Structures are given as C-alpha cells and as structure tokens.
Amino acid sequence: MDGSAVKVLPAAEEFAWARQRRADIRRAGGVLDLVLPLREGGDGPALFCAPPLIGASWCYLALLPHLPPEHPVYGLQLRGLRRPEPLPVDMAELARDFADRIRLTRPHGPYHLFGWSIGGNTAHAIAEELERRGHEVGLLVIGDTVPGLPNSLSVADDNLWLLCDFVLRELGYQPVVEPDDPDPVHRMLEVVRGRPGLGLHEWPDRQLLALPHVIRNNLAVAQRHRPGRVRCPVLFLSATGDERTTGAKVASWDDCVSGPVDVVEVDCSHEHMLLPAPVARIGAAIAARLAGNPKSPAPTADASESPIATGESRT
C-alpha cells in the first residue's frame, strides 16, 4: 500500500471496484463479528477466509456465486473494529484467536483456508497453528502475497494520510486525502459523512476512527512475522498485472511450505483480484480443489474476460 496503490487514476476497474465494495457493505450489513457467516448450510467442506488489510471480510462475498452451494463460507474479521478491545501483538496471537474461532464454528476438520493480500499471510499462520494443534488442513489458498509483505508498506506516523485514503478507497469512496492534509482523519470523516447512502454514513465516529488504527496494527503484525512451515496442500493465486513475477512470488514461500503447491495465474492487478472476471477463475480453482480434483481446468475465458492459467504442481 504505497502512494501509487491508493492514488490511482479513475480507470474502469477502479469504478467497478468501488461499486462492488459499496454493494458488499450493503449485503453484509456492515457486520463486524469476528466470524461472519457469508453462506451457511450445505454439507461440503467449509471455507474460512482471512481478512485483507481493511480487517473486514465482506469482499469475499464475491466468491459465493463461483463456489457450489454445498460449501459454507465464513469470513474472519479483526478485533478492534466492532468495539474497543486490545489488538493482537503479533501474528501468533492473531492465529491462535482465529484458530479458536474456527474450531468453535466447525469442531471437526479438515480445515480449508483462503486469504487474499495480507489475508494470505494470516491464513498461512492459521494453518500453521491448526497443524501445531494436530488438526488437518485440507487446503491453504494464498492470494498474491509474500511473507512479511513488500518493504514499500509502511506503518510510519507520517503515513496517516495514506491509511485514511486507503480506508476510503477500500470502502468505496473517492480517495481524496493528500500528504499535506493537516488533519487526515477529519478529512476521512468529512468524506464519509458527506456521502450518505454509501454504506458507512451511519457508523459512529468511534468505529470509523478505529479503521486506520486497526490497519496500522495489522500491517505491523504481518511485517514482524516470520512464518514457519506448513504441511498442507497450497494453492497460490498470482496476479500477473504486477511488477513481481509469479516465479518470484511463489519462491518466496519455499521455506514456508512442505506439501504440494499449485499455481494459478490471474490476468489482473493485485487490487482487482476479486472483480467478477478474475474471481470467477479463482472460484473455479478453489471449487475444484475442495472437490478433490486439483487438476480440473478452469473454465475458458470469454474474449472480454481475464484468462487464468493453472501451472504445474510444485513439491
């Protein structure tokens, strides 16, 4: 999340992303429970989704049309958003908390985890914790991230404007906070209060003010973390519209996995992986693996859609 990642030109994908985020907030009702049932029912393997940087998992609603209805889907969400409470001091604490919540929700495994962006780091840590407790992890899906996150991400105090801008963009508002803004938080509140009907207008100030604080802690926790090794099968999703090559991203996890790794490339930017065309391919890849068929091909892309390619398994 550097300046260029937030201050983007208003491309078609950005407009689509803003519309989708606002729709997600409305569909989820702004619920900030630690475990958010995105879809319940069905007797198939459940999928638990670790939150991206914003801390809420409403974005994973985009997956539901692309996973068979027999699969329940749950979003894990960060503490500190729903009410004031101590934030996790490190990734181990966060993983233990989420593992406890997963076990309360589904007492019996195997467990299937997905995390996009920083959520991929959290999902890996949860898998590590579940395996440490002796539970089976049937699948870990890492959505286009690397251990420790890129060095361009910063939790410095002078980046408060950037965190506020990130909040606005991630929740469907126009990111308008500037580096020289004397009061970035006030500007963020002003934008939200000035756009009733976009999803957060009725949130109390306390909850809105918690967002930059929780995001900064989430970044610090991920950057300090040094992941261990998991044994479970891994599916790595790589956005090809990124400066880093797929090979480099996957190789960064070599010391953190011991089981097979499948690679699926999605022709989009990192920020737009959950837009309709990319998420259809992602959903197909996850659904195939939940069904125990990792070599099932992704559906053929229309000319207007982003193609996806499934690479060879790595061991």
Side-chain angles (χ1 to χ4, degrees):
M1 187 190 66
D2 57 17
S4 62
V6 176
K7 289 293 184 183
V8 291
L9 294 175
E13 291 85 358
E14 280 300 303
F15 286 124
W17 180 244
R19 288 194 300 270
Q20 182 167 309
R21 296 300 259 169
R22 294 195 291 266
D24 290 343
I25 294 170
R26 288 192 293 270
R27 288 177 62 195
V31 174
L32 294 169
D33 294 347
L34 298 180
V35 179
L36 174 64
L38 298 174
R39 182 171 70 195
E40 294 188 288
D43 55 5
L47 183 67
F48 288 87
C49 301
L53 185 56
I54 197 71
S57 286
W58 311 324
C59 59
Y60 295 112
L61 285 164
L63 267 178
L64 300 188
H66 310 293
L67 296 178
E70 62 266 24
H71 296 296
V73 181
Y74 299 91
L76 305 172
Q77 304 193 115
L78 292 181
R79 292 187 180 275
L81 294 176
R82 182 177 53 172
R83 61 172 181 259
E85 57 186 322
L87 302 182
V89 298
D90 55 28
M91 185 66 82
E93 180 182 343
L94 180 61
R96 287 193 299 269
D97 191 11
F98 277 149
D100 289 343
R101 297 291 163 179
I102 290 170
R103 294 273 296 139
L104 286 171
T105 305
R106 289 272 165 161
H108 306 290
Y111 296 102
H112 304 83
L113 307 167
F114 173 37
W116 165 58
S117 195
I118 198 174
N121 303 75
T122 306
H124 181 279
I126 297 169
E128 189 179 346
E129 173 64 17
L130 287 169
E131 289 186 344
R132 187 191 65 79
R133 299 182 187 187
H135 303 299
E136 180 185 357
V137 177
L139 177 66
L140 168 62
V141 185
I142 299 175
D144 200 60
T145 193
V146 298
L149 301 178
N151 292 331
S152 60
L153 300 173
S154 174
V155 295
D157 288 340
D158 60 0
N159 272 357
L160 180 58
W161 75 271
L162 190 56
L163 297 179
C164 292
D165 235 16
F166 181 79
V167 168
L168 291 174
R169 178 188 178 273
E170 285 298 291
L171 297 177
Y173 295 83
Q174 182 69 22
V176 295
V177 186
E178 299 293 342
D180 59 353
D181 196 305
D183 191 345
V185 172
H186 176 78
R187 180 65 173 134
M188 179 186 73
L189 291 175
E190 185 179 60
V191 171
V192 172
R193 298 301 180 219
R195 297 295 304 276
L198 292 193
L200 301 186
H201 182 68
E202 296 181 358
W203 277 30
D205 283 0
R206 179 194 58 76
Q207 278 189 303
L208 291 171
L209 294 174
L211 286 165
H213 181 56
V214 170
I215 289 170
R216 176 172 282 161
N217 189 73
N218 200 16
L219 276 173
V221 162
Q223 289 178 341
R224 292 194 301 263
H225 180 57
R226 296 298 176 262
R229 184 183 290 266
V230 298
R231 302 182 300 275
C232 59
V234 175
L235 169 62
F236 188 88
L237 307 173
S238 178
T240 60
D242 186 45
E243 293 181 358
R244 297 168 297 173
T245 67
T246 294
K249 287 185 280 191
V250 175
S252 71
W253 290 97
D254 281 351
D255 293 335
C256 309
V257 299
S258 56
V261 177
D262 286 343
V263 180
V264 169
E265 292 186 318
V266 189
D267 186 13
C268 66
S269 67
H270 173 87
E271 291 83 2
H272 300 141
M273 289 188 80
L274 298 183
L275 282 177
V279 83
R281 311 306 175 213
I282 289 169
I286 294 175
R289 285 152 181 83
L290 291 177
N293 186 17
K295 290 303 180 184
S296 176
T300 302
D302 294 334
S304 60
E305 295 180 323
S306 300
I308 189 169
T310 304
E312 293 297 322
S313 293
R314 298 173 63 254
T315 56

